[in-house]
């Protein structure tokens, strides 16, 4: 799938941040622009978190099917799975809210597909292991074995793991959804901590940067689409203990966000990482319609159905920022 520039093969990675359906739709705009530029089906790696995992896993499961993008757009405009999963999990004594979430993803998006069935790019679905504090990843595609695990407990091959359950783990933002539990019969290395519990990948790294800088993936470019929640100034800071905790988490996430950007930049400057092309949803540099950045950034980061106006702005803005960064920082990628 690698592209050829001046007679040399070049590999492209795409990192898709979390941010609920807002992020999924923003990334859809990125997909549409990359398709128009002849790059989408030449991407070699997808690294996904939370809402980005919905987009990336769906794309990987429908690789090279041009109608996949229309299907994803239709889904985002017709479903509100957070509410359905929450209520269903409370009422059903045999399934938890996270089980309902995974079932919803499987019914509407993945239809029983597993990591071992992927034939497109290398796909990373990233979650956070609450037992060790490490990034936990599910991987498939790229002509390599399907795996899951983390650097400390270990990695195993598991081709039969469902896409829907991995995406549920990656997008199980607390406290709305409980973590996904993997017992030792599913993930034997987890016996070292009795079992592992996996929560939203955004707790560790909301932009999916880690897999893109691994030497084993040998990327030349990484397009980082950040549709998360940028930290906003508050003219009237709260004194409520609950809201202070929420603000503290937002500040921590913003700090991590900045560090990940710096990490990409400095690794590339040291010739130890891919050329980074990053953009955030609140960026006005490259927007093609005044107010798109503000409107897109004001949309909630939950899993509720998006209106036609929200879909239009998110996809337009995601596509505009994608083209803007490619034209400025990697013009050789245009019209491949």
């Amino acid at each position: 799938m690698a592209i050829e520039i001046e007679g040399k093969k070049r590999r492209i990675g795409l990192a898709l941040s979390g941010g609920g359906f807002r992020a999924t739709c923003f990334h859809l705009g990125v997909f549409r622009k990359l398709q128009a530029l002849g790059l989408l089906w030449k991407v070699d790696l997808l690294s996904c978190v939370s809402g980005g995992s919905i987009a990336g896993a769906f794309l990987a499961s429908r690789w090279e099917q041009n109608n996949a993008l229309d299907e994803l757009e239709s889904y985002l405009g017709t479903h509100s799975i957070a509410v359905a999963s929450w209520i269903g999990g409370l009422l059903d004594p045999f399934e938890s809210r996270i089980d309902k979430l995974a079932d919803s993803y499987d019914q509407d998006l993945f239809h029983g597909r597993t990591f071992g069935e992927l034939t497109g790019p290398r796909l990373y679905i990233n979650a956070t292991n609450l037992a060790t504090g490490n990034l936990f990843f599910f991987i498939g595609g790229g002509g390599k074995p399907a795996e899951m695990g983390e650097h400390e407990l270990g990695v195993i091959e598991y081709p039969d793991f469902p896409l829907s359950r991995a995406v549920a783990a990656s997008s199980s933002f607390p406290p709305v959804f409980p973590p996904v539990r993997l017992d030792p019969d599913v993930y034997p290395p987890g016996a070292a901590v009795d079992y592992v519990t996996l929560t939203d990948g955004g707790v560790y790294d909301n932009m999916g940067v880690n897999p893109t800088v691994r030497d084993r993936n040998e990327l030349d470019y990484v397009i980082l689409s950040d549709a998360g929640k940028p930290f906003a100034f508050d003219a009237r800071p709260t004194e409520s203990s609950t809201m202070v905790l929420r603000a503290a988490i937002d500040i921590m996430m913003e700090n991590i966000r900045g560090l990940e950007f710096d990490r990409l930049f400095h690794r590339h400057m040291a010739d130890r990482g891919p050329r980074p092309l990053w953009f955030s949803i609140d960026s006005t540099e490259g927007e093609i319609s005044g107010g798109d950045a503000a409107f897109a950034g004001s949309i909630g980061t939950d899993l509720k159905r998006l209106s036609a106006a929200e879909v239009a702005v998110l996809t337009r803005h995601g596509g505009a920022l994608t083209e803007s960064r490619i034209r400025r920082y990697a013009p050789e990628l245009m019209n491949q």
Side-chain angles (χ1 to χ4, degrees):
M1 284 174 285
I3 64 173
E4 187 171 305
I5 298 175
E6 297 180 349
K8 296 182 179 180
K9 296 291 186 181
R10 302 297 186 191
R11 289 169 49 84
I12 300 174
L14 187 55
L16 306 174
S17 80
F21 275 0
R22 179 178 87 178
T24 307
C25 194
F26 185 77
H27 303 323
L28 172 62
V30 175
F31 296 162
R32 289 200 182 280
K33 180 56 65 174
L34 292 176
Q35 183 182 40
L37 296 175
L39 291 171
L40 181 61
W41 307 126
K42 297 177 182 177
V43 168
D44 295 279
L45 180 141
L46 295 164
S47 178
C48 315
V49 181
S50 197
S53 293
I54 300 171
F58 184 78
L59 185 72
S61 71
R62 302 286 201 284
W63 194 246
E64 294 187 321
Q65 298 179 25
N66 288 320
N67 64 338
L69 304 187
D70 292 335
E71 290 181 33
L72 183 57
E73 181 171 323
S74 175
Y75 170 79
L76 293 170
T78 55
H79 289 72
S80 294
I81 60 174
V83 175
S85 300
W86 176 275
I87 295 174
L90 288 177
L91 298 179
D92 190 335
F94 302 104
E95 285 192 297
S96 71
R97 298 191 304 279
I98 197 64
D99 292 326
K100 289 291 186 181
L101 179 63
D103 289 347
S104 176
Y105 286 148
D106 197 58
Q107 177 179 337
D108 298 319
L109 295 172
F110 302 116
H111 311 297
R113 290 181 176 87
T114 64
F115 280 85
E117 298 175 55
L118 298 178
T119 58
R122 198 67 168 154
L123 172 71
Y124 282 76
I125 300 298
N126 301 300
T128 303
N129 187 350
L130 293 174
T132 63
N134 296 326
L135 182 73
F136 191 101
F137 45 79
F138 301 88
I139 321 173
K144 298 178 181 179
E147 302 172 325
M148 69 178 184
E150 54 141 282
H151 79 277
E152 194 166 1
L153 293 180
V155 178
I156 64 169
E157 292 190 18
Y158 203 125
D160 296 328
F161 201 86
L163 284 171
S164 58
R165 192 153 185 84
V167 174
S170 181
S171 60
S172 60
F173 49 91
V176 178
F177 294 105
V180 167
R181 173 169 168 162
L182 297 183
D183 288 309
D185 61 329
V186 174
Y187 177 62
V193 288
D194 289 338
Y195 55 86
V196 302
T197 50
L198 307 177
T199 193
D200 194 303
V203 173
Y204 187 93
D205 168 17
N206 198 44
M207 296 185 296
V209 166
N210 280 269
T212 70
V213 297
R214 289 174 179 259
D215 291 340
R216 72 183 66 174
N217 289 322
E218 300 178 311
L219 295 178
D220 297 288
Y221 303 89
V222 57
I223 300 170
L224 198 165
S225 176
D226 177 20
K229 179 185 177 184
F231 188 79
F233 291 132
D234 189 346
R236 300 177 64 185
T238 182
E239 295 182 16
S240 162
S241 57
T242 302
M243 297 307 294
V244 166
L245 176 60
R246 180 175 178 179
I249 293 173
D250 287 345
I251 293 169
M252 179 184 68
M253 294 286 285
E254 182 67 10
N255 189 43
I256 294 172
R257 184 170 175 253
L259 290 172
E260 292 292 10
F261 283 145
D262 283 348
R263 180 185 183 193
L264 275 175
F265 175 76
H266 289 295
R267 283 185 69 94
H268 175 64
M269 293 301 292
D271 200 27
R272 295 186 57 202
R275 182 185 303 180
L277 311 173
W278 67 66
F279 46 87
S280 299
I281 196 170
D282 60 337
S283 177
T284 58
E285 182 183 343
E287 69 175 0
I288 59 175
S289 181
D292 277 0
F295 185 6
S298 71
I299 297 169
T301 56
D302 48 31
L303 297 176
K304 293 181 181 178
R305 179 183 66 83
L306 298 171
S307 70
E310 290 171 332
V311 169
V313 171
L314 286 167
T315 54
R316 181 172 68 231
H317 193 47
L321 297 187
T322 302
E323 182 169 355
S324 170
R325 299 311 184 268
I326 291 176
R327 284 190 181 278
R328 180 170 179 177
Y329 298 106
E332 65 273 19
L333 295 180
M334 295 295 295
N335 299 315
Q336 286 287 320

